[in-house]
Amino acid sequence: MTRGFWENCLHAWVWMTIGFGLLFAGAGVPGLDGGAGLFYQIVSGGTVDASGFDAPGMRISVSLVGAVMLGWGVTMLAVYRACGADPAVWRGLSRAVLIWYVVDSALSVATGFPINAVSNTAFVVLFIVPAFKLGFFGGAVRA
């Protein structure tokens, strides 16, 4: 596969990050919390759904996570638009993604939500494969 293919994969992942940020930010508004509620229902094994957002602090916590993820995605989109998939630039962002993955997944398991660690793994694999292919950690594919 060509470098252009892997750049498109990275670009799609950035937009997916933005989409998930919007999904979770929507949890701050009753009636817009269905997507985040479905996600929580899946990763909790059915013990938490959108009604759980009414617990004190839960709605604001989920929506702030969404706001941070949205900001993270938009920042990476700006980087992508400014320099494409330049390995020298994305190497640092790759470290940030891996730090998020380790911390978020460890806390997911520690707090009783191991399925979230599984979803994190799928999400990070969708990043890591193009990252390796684009040379963020070493050699890159040829044009």
Side-chain angles (χ1 to χ4, degrees), residues 17-18 20-28 39-40 57-73 100 104 116:
T17 303
I18 291 169
F20 274 108
L22 288 170
L23 181 87
F24 290 113
F39 177 84
Y40 273 82
M58 183 68 170
R59 188 171 299 279
I60 186 68
S61 296
V62 175
S63 61
L64 290 179
V65 165
V68 170
M69 191 167 196
L70 178 59
W72 186 32
W100 159 81
D104 192 284
N116 190 57

Side-chain angles (χ1 to χ4, degrees), residues 56-93:
M58 183 68 170
R59 188 171 299 279
I60 186 68
S61 296
V62 175
S63 61
L64 290 179
V65 165
V68 170
M69 191 167 196
L70 178 59
W72 186 32
V74 171
T75 299
M76 287 190 285
L77 180 61
V79 169
Y80 186 86
R81 288 181 174 169
C83 66
D86 182 335
V89 175
W90 279 87
R91 192 165 290 117
L93 291 174

Side-chain angles (χ1 to χ4, degrees), residues 115-142:
I115 297 172
N116 190 57
V118 173
S119 73
N120 288 348
T121 301
F123 187 72
V124 84
V125 164
L126 290 172
F127 174 80
I128 287 296
V129 172
F132 271 109
K133 295 293 187 175
L134 291 167
F136 298 175
F137 305 105
V141 294
R142 305 270 184 241

Side-chain angles (χ1 to χ4, degrees), residues 37-52 112-116:
L38 178 60
F39 177 84
Y40 273 82
Q41 189 166 20
I42 291 168
V43 301
S44 72
T47 61
V48 178
D49 59 20
S51 67
F113 293 89
I115 297 172
N116 190 57

